[in-house]
């Protein structure tokens, strides 16, 4: 096991190695550096079905300003629909401004991979909209963490923990694929 360095060179130098990464980025870097397509193994295909890249906030902000929190979540969902299925030129311009290493080619690759692998819009989101979360999936991840010894089984998450921030089946106005 070697620490991840955000550099594909150790992987390229050792044909018996594997490297972690995002399906939207690292395979692209390998293809550019070594002119071959690496095999991709998604952890989700092997039962690791946790949520990723979550919106987090403090409980007191939810309690004191629930409308503000809901509007932020709704705006994020609308942003994802617009980025994936509508004109994402303004989003790409902002990404490149904040991260000058990003290129149009990499952004196009990333978007294609997000769609191909259902990174943002698949599973529960196909039924309930981008941002949907379920108690069953949260419990599945929690149980995996208990089995791995990361958390103790006596700690239990309250059911519906996510429901205060995103109502299942409710898409913000103007959030749709078409």
């Amino acid at each position: 096991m070697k620490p991840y360095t955000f550099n594909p060179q150790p992987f390229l130098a050792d044909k018996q190695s594997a490297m972690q990464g995002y399906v939207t980025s690292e395979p692209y870097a390998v293809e550019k550096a070594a002119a071959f397509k690496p095999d991709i193994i998604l952890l989700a295909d092997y039962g690791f079905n946790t949520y990723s890249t979550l919106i987090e906030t403090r409980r007191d902000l939810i309690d004191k300003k629930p409308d503000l929190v809901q509007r932020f979540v709704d705006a994020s969902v609308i942003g994802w629909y617009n980025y994936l299925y509508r004109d994402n030129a303004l989003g790409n311009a902002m990404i490149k401004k904040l991260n000058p290493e990003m290129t149009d080619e990499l952004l196009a690759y990333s978007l294609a991979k997000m769609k191909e692998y259902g990174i943002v819009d698949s599973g529960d989101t196909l039924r309930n909209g981008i941002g949907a979360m379920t108690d069953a999936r949260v419990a599945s991840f929690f149980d995996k963490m208990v089995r791995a010894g990361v958390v103790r089984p006596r700690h239990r998450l309250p059911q519906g923990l996510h429901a205060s921030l995103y109502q299942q089946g409710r898409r913000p106005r103007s959030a749709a694929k078409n």
Side-chain angles (χ1 to χ4, degrees):
M1 183 74 71
K2 296 177 186 174
Y4 181 58
T5 63
F6 300 94
N7 180 342
Q9 293 309 317
F11 169 74
L12 296 174
D14 182 355
K15 293 187 185 306
Q16 298 300 310
S17 68
M19 83 182 237
Q20 74 180 46
Y22 287 99
V23 71
T24 57
S25 181
E26 277 70 13
Y28 175 85
V30 169
E31 288 177 35
K32 288 297 179 186
F36 75 91
K37 289 184 183 255
D39 291 331
I40 296 171
I41 301 167
L42 295 181
L43 295 177
D45 291 343
Y46 294 88
F48 191 74
N49 61 343
T50 185
Y51 294 108
S52 171
T53 315
L54 303 173
I55 297 171
E56 298 179 25
T57 190
R58 297 179 319 275
R59 172 58 62 188
D60 67 309
L61 185 61
I62 295 168
D63 293 341
K64 292 177 183 168
K65 298 183 178 183
D67 185 59
L68 171 70
V69 173
Q70 187 65 59
R71 288 188 323 235
F72 184 87
V73 171
D74 289 350
S76 298
V77 169
I78 290 167
W80 272 112
Y81 277 109
N82 286 336
Y83 190 80
L84 291 170
Y85 303 113
R86 294 191 180 131
D87 183 3
N88 57 24
L90 290 175
N92 285 341
M94 181 61 73
I95 290 168
K96 290 190 300 187
K97 179 180 178 184
L98 296 174
N99 185 354
E101 294 178 10
M102 294 299 273
T103 64
D104 289 333
E105 186 179 8
L106 176 54
L107 289 168
Y109 176 93
S110 296
L111 180 61
K113 293 303 175 187
M114 279 191 269
K115 289 179 177 181
E116 178 183 346
Y117 287 96
I119 301 300
V120 177
D121 199 10
S122 64
D124 296 328
T125 70
L126 295 177
R127 288 182 302 281
N128 300 324
I130 291 175
M133 297 178 76
T134 66
D135 289 332
R137 192 162 164 190
V138 171
S140 171
F141 176 69
F142 179 79
D143 291 342
K144 287 176 179 73
M145 295 300 99
V146 168
R147 285 193 309 274
V150 175
V151 295
R152 294 185 188 122
R154 66 184 175 143
H155 295 118
R156 284 285 163 208
L157 294 172
Q159 295 294 300
L161 183 65
H162 59 277
S164 64
L165 294 181
Y166 189 82
Q167 299 171 15
Q168 298 296 312
R170 175 184 167 267
R171 286 191 177 144
R173 279 181 281 134
S174 80
K177 286 185 180 183
N178 301 333

